[in-house]
């Protein structure tokens, strides 16, 4: 309605210009209240689309986008190039055509799905009798390109809680940091630490409210609170699961295989750490989107502590040292002797 | 001075918020309420004005349950109390939903006090005309707690407190006679404080007892009468002992 009023003003100023018929709008009574004059419209104009100007003489442009709002109204009289880029009568200006698109309504959503991160990573966490072990690789990939081998995928929310990163790195980092802020505020207001249950619930509720908007987060919240060790899986679809063993990411299948096979509830911290390290290593061996270094953390009653960070290349030769064939052995002996 | 008490948001030159102070006056006109904290019990007592014959006294409950482990009694405008209690009940459940833990007494007191304060700093609203006594057990430490809030939005923890009509005399009594009690002794202390200002008898007092195990329990009239009888007997015995001692000397 404001558009029409603006255009009305212009048409009145440019007295030379041919008057354009204005469609009678549904809100014309309001405009009259404002004191504006409404040119007598075409009674035959269909009321179905009240706010679009219709060009009487432009042919049926039903499928074309209406660009009348962008046209300059104060030009030289028709026929003279007084600054206009092209020498056409406005009515004959081509309207914008859309490219040939089979699925106009859904192509944006489909593109989003296509570029969505497939969570190229391996992270795992499990509870055992002495606390929680959290481990992750450190590779970031963009399709087939390895963008970094040194990403810190285990995020320290506060001295007694850890979060793992899988999915979009920015999303994970930001929301974990935000969660840390909320946990701290809870602590200050209530004079006691927030439980792992509460923290994971806060994060899950936030992620649920952004559901469908393109966040990509697959995280595990691990910590030690009054009730003992706690482990929750939270993701950007809004799921929140409590459990004893989780692995998240493209390499999680391989990690689960090793983890489930070697898991016992009663283990020493070193044994548990070694199990986690082995599981991540095997995942990086087979999964192209995982690699770099394995970081292993342990969360105990006094908070978390980093146990180790090993390059998977070196781990490979630790687990599978090269055994020299007899020929090679002879050659080495010959060269050293 | 009259100019500074119209709108709530205006300070007077000497730093008073008159509407808040008038709200406190409304509280002073409300029925007496007392709360006593023991080692394993907390007791709330409220004065019950005589019910008209045709009124169903069960619909006029003055002690409200906010959650399984928290109860509230108040003095002042009962209609305001209803609104505050409903909001507090919702907040108790909302807390359970977001952090999967029941509220602590301090948390819900802080919430109610915050609500009362909000209405002292907004346009077009008046403060809640009530002071509340909030009792409960902390779900983590299992310790009993008693808090009081007032129309200005301040709150603090108490061992024993009274509000409403004649609260000063009740508080004086409590200050003189308070000691750490448990179980029945706590109930008796609360009743004795109320009896200072209320006509004696089971039908003029409402008592609710909260324990860690059993939650909130409202005492029947008959039970209250028993306690009152005990208290009267003790008082008589004490009087007699004093008279006896005086006679001897």
């Amino acid at each position: 309605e404001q558009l029409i009023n603006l255009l009305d003003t212009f048409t009145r100023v440019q007295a030379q210009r041919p008057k354009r018929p204005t469609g009678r709008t549904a809100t014309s009574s309001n405009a009259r209240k404002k004191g504006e004059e409404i040119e007598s419209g075409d009674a035959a104009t269909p009321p179905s689309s009240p706010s679009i100007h219709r060009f009487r003489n432009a042919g049926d442009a039903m499928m074309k986008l209406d660009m009348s709002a962008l046209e300059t109204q104060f030009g030289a009289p028709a026929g003279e190039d007084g600054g206009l880029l092209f020498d056409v009568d406005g009515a004959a200006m081509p309207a914008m055509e859309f490219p040939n698109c089979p699925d106009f309504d859904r192509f944006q959503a489909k593109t989003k799905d296509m570029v969505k991160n497939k969570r190229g990573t391996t992270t795992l966490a499990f509870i055992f009798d002495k606390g929680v072990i959290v481990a992750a690789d450190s590779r970031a990939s963009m399709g087939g390109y390895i963008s970094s081998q040194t990403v810190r995928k285990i995020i320290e929310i506060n001295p007694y809680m850890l979060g793992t990163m899988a999915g979009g790195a920015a999303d994970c980092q930001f929301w974990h940091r935000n969660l840390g802020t909320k946990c701290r505020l809870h602590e200050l207001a209530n004079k006691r630490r927030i439980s792992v249950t509460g923290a994971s619930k806060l994060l899950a509720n936030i992620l649920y409210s952004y559901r469908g908007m393109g966040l990509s987060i697959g995280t595990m919240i691990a910590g030690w609170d009054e009730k003992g060790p706690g482990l929750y899986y939270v993701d950007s679809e809004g799921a929140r699961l409590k459990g004893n063993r989780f692995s998240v990411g493209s390499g999680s299948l391989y990690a689960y295989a090793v983890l489930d096979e070697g898991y016992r509830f009663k283990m020493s911290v070193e044994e548990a750490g070694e199990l986690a390290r082995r599981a991540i290593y095997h995942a990086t061996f087979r999964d192209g989107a995982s690699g770099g270094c394995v970081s292993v953390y342990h969360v105990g009653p006094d908070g978390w502590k980093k146990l180790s960070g090993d390059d998977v290349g070196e781990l490979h030769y630790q687990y599978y040292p090269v055994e020299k064939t007899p020929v090679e052995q002879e050659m080495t002996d010959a060269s050293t002797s | 001075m009259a100019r500074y008490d119209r709108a709530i948001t205006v300070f007077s030159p000497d730093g008073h918020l008159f509407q808040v102070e008038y709200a406190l006056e409304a509280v002073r006109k409300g029925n007496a309420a007392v709360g006593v904290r023991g080692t394993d019990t907390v007791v709330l007592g409220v004065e019950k004005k005589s019910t008209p014959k045709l009124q169903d006294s069960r619909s006029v409950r003055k002690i409200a349950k906010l959650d399984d482990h928290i109860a509230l009694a108040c003095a002042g405008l009962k209609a305001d109390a209803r609104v505050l209690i409903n909001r507090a009940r919702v907040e108790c459940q909302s807390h359970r939903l977001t952090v999967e833990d029941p509220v602590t007494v301090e948390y819900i007191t802080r919430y109610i006090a915050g609500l009362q304060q909000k209405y002292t700093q907004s346009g077009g609203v008046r403060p809640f005309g009530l002071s509340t006594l909030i009792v409960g057990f902390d779900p983590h430490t299992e310790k009993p707690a008693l808090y009081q809030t007032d129309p200005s939005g301040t709150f603090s923890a108490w061992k024993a407190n009274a509000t409403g009509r004649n609260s000063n005399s009740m508080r004086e009594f409590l200050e003189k006679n308070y000691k750490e009690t448990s179980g029945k002794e706590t109930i008796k202390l609360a009743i004795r404080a109320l009896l200072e200002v209320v006509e004696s008898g089971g039908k003029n007092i409402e008592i609710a007892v909260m324990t860690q195990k059993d939650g909130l329990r409202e005492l029947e009239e008959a039970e209250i009468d028993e306690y009152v009888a005990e208290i009267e007997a003790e008082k008589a015995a004490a009087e007699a002992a004093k008279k006896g001692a005086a006679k001897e000397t």
Side-chain angles (χ1 to χ4, degrees):
Chain A
E1 191 225 331
Q2 283 175 337
L3 215 56
I4 285 153
N5 291 337
L6 191 65
L7 290 169
D8 284 346
T9 322
F10 280 127
T11 49
R12 251 192 306 269
V13 167
Q14 309 298 324
Q16 295 158 311
R17 298 186 26 71
K19 284 211 167 177
R20 289 189 185 289
T22 53
R24 197 173 275 293
T25 69
T27 55
S28 59
S29 53
N30 289 350
R32 217 173 282 124
K33 279 185 214 150
K34 286 189 180 172
E36 296 272 13
E37 262 182 285
I38 295 288
E39 291 170 287
S40 60
D42 184 8
T45 318
S48 56
S49 39
S51 58
I52 294 180
H53 274 257
R54 295 219 172 256
F55 296 112
R56 270 230 208 99
N57 44 357
D60 199 346
M62 289 295 265
M63 294 306 281
K64 295 190 177 159
L65 190 68
D66 181 73
M67 301 288 278
S68 57
L70 298 179
E71 285 184 304
T72 51
Q73 297 286 323
F74 30 85
E80 207 180 272
D81 190 356
L84 285 176
L85 283 174
F86 26 96
D87 193 12
V88 268
D89 185 354
M93 254 196 219
M96 192 177 91
E97 288 191 20
F98 291 120
N100 190 24
C101 181
D103 188 4
F104 179 59
D105 294 314
R106 291 266 314 137
F107 80 91
Q108 279 182 318
K110 282 194 189 153
T111 317
K112 198 177 75 169
D113 277 332
M114 187 177 78
V115 298
K116 196 176 194 167
N117 283 321
K118 295 271 187 290
R119 301 210 186 137
T121 191
T122 313
T123 59
L124 65 80
F126 60 86
I127 293 181
F128 68 116
D129 70 332
K130 295 186 180 62
V132 198
I133 294 282
V134 185
D137 74 315
S138 68
R139 175 176 290 183
S141 47
M142 281 156 45
Y145 172 68
I146 297 175
S147 42
S148 171
Q149 291 270 63
T150 54
V151 179
R152 290 169 108 243
K153 294 191 187 177
I154 297 182
I155 298 160
E156 297 144 13
I157 296 170
N158 59 40
Y160 56 98
M161 241 194 285
L162 293 174
T164 59
M165 180 201 294
D171 290 340
C172 289
Q173 274 179 1
F174 178 85
W175 287 111
H176 278 126
R177 193 114 161 95
N178 184 279
L179 180 64
T181 309
K182 289 202 162 63
C183 291
R184 180 72 181 139
L185 287 173
H186 179 104
E187 219 178 290
L188 288 170
N190 295 296
K191 295 180 203 141
R192 52 183 291 114
R193 282 183 182 168
I194 192 170
S195 57
V196 183
T197 315
S200 60
K201 193 96 186 221
L202 284 178
L203 183 63
N205 285 337
I206 292 169
L207 296 183
Y208 185 79
S209 67
Y210 285 92
R211 191 174 136 98
M213 294 195 210
L215 283 183
S216 170
I217 298 175
T219 184
M220 295 177 286
I221 306 289
W224 186 294
D225 59 26
E226 277 183 1
K227 303 193 193 96
L231 177 62
Y232 285 82
Y233 165 76
V234 179
D235 78 10
S236 48
E237 304 299 300
R240 173 174 167 268
L241 303 170
K242 183 174 154 79
N244 284 334
R245 294 204 294 276
F246 285 113
S247 177
V248 181
S250 55
S252 62
L253 269 63
Y254 312 108
Y256 267 132
V258 175
L259 176 60
D260 290 342
E261 205 261 337
Y263 176 82
R264 287 180 326 277
F265 183 71
K266 279 187 159 36
M267 281 191 280
S268 70
V269 175
E270 292 77 32
E271 280 181 318
E274 180 54 31
L275 175 65
R277 200 173 304 121
R278 229 165 23 94
I280 298 280
Y281 155 75
H282 280 101
T284 61
F285 187 69
R286 287 292 176 184
D287 177 35
S290 306
C293 327
V294 182
S295 317
V296 182
Y297 284 68
H298 170 244
V299 189
D302 302 323
W304 57 259
K305 184 163 169 297
K306 182 161 183 177
L307 290 182
S308 67
D310 300 290
D311 184 282
V312 292
E314 286 168 20
L315 279 181
H316 172 82
Y317 291 106
Q318 268 179 41
Y319 291 137
Y320 304 106
V322 175
E323 294 191 5
K324 296 212 170 104
T325 64
V327 175
E328 280 178 355
Q329 189 61 44
E330 273 179 34
M331 286 171 66
T332 332
D333 289 341
S335 57
T336 51
S337 63
Chain B
M1 187 172 110
R3 288 213 312 280
Y4 300 103
D5 61 4
R6 281 291 133 212
I8 178 62
T9 50
V10 178
F11 272 111
S12 71
D14 53 348
H16 290 260
L17 280 172
F18 280 118
Q19 283 298 320
V20 175
E21 303 197 353
Y22 297 165
L24 280 160
E25 270 304 310
V27 167
R28 262 174 238 132
K29 298 229 172 3
N31 52 257
V34 72
V36 180
R37 185 187 85 191
T39 50
D40 61 354
T41 321
V42 264
V43 181
L44 278 174
V46 189
E47 166 197 6
K48 210 165 44 174
K49 298 221 180 76
S50 56
T51 50
K53 281 207 191 125
L54 296 174
Q55 191 183 61
D56 186 349
S57 57
R58 280 169 310 170
S59 68
V60 205
R61 284 274 90 102
K62 301 213 170 157
I63 298 175
K65 193 163 103 156
L66 295 185
D67 201 347
D68 288 330
H69 60 299
I70 310 231
L72 173 152
C74 51
L77 269 52
K78 285 290 169 287
D80 289 0
R82 207 176 52 233
V83 170
L84 215 53
I85 289 170
N86 283 338
R87 300 269 275 271
R89 283 175 176 157
V90 170
E91 180 61 22
C92 285
Q93 297 311 311
S94 173
H95 188 272
R96 273 185 193 261
L97 188 58
T98 46
V99 293
E100 292 193 4
D101 251 339
V103 292
T104 58
V105 190
E106 200 256 343
Y107 178 92
I108 197 65
T109 309
R110 200 160 9 104
Y111 176 79
I112 291 175
L115 211 51
Q116 286 181 299
Q117 190 281 339
K118 224 184 281 200
Y119 281 71
T120 67
Q121 211 178 10
S122 292
V125 297
R126 62 162 176 81
F128 286 98
L130 66 145
S131 293
T132 66
L133 286 169
I134 300 166
V135 298
F137 280 85
D138 195 297
H140 305 283
T141 60
E142 298 193 355
K143 286 218 180 82
L146 165 67
Y147 284 85
Q148 190 215 27
T149 72
D150 63 28
S152 63
T154 55
F155 72 94
S156 48
W158 293 76
K159 294 182 190 154
N161 200 1
T163 177
R165 241 158 32 97
N166 301 321
S167 56
N168 285 331
S169 17
M170 283 196 281
R171 209 173 297 123
E172 263 180 49
F173 174 83
L174 286 168
E175 279 178 12
K176 254 187 266 172
N177 296 295
Y178 179 81
K179 52 185 199 304
E180 288 281 334
T181 50
S182 69
K184 288 216 166 124
E185 288 303 315
T186 321
I187 304 175
K188 278 213 279 214
L189 183 56
I191 296 179
R192 271 162 56 208
L194 258 184
L195 287 177
E196 291 282 310
V197 301
V198 166
E199 235 178 74
S200 103
K203 52 184 181 20
N204 293 327
I205 304 178
E206 210 177 284
I207 301 279
V209 182
M210 178 166 294
T211 47
Q212 168 71 22
K213 272 194 284 87
D214 305 321
L216 188 71
R217 193 172 68 89
E218 301 244 357
L219 296 188
E220 306 271 323
E221 236 184 77
E223 276 186 84
I224 300 176
D225 280 332
E226 266 181 47
Y227 278 111
V228 171
E230 261 186 65
I231 290 168
E232 307 266 291
E234 282 173 10
K235 236 197 260 181
E239 292 274 338
K242 243 198 283 176
K243 273 208 197 111
K247 262 202 207 144
E248 279 172 21
T249 54

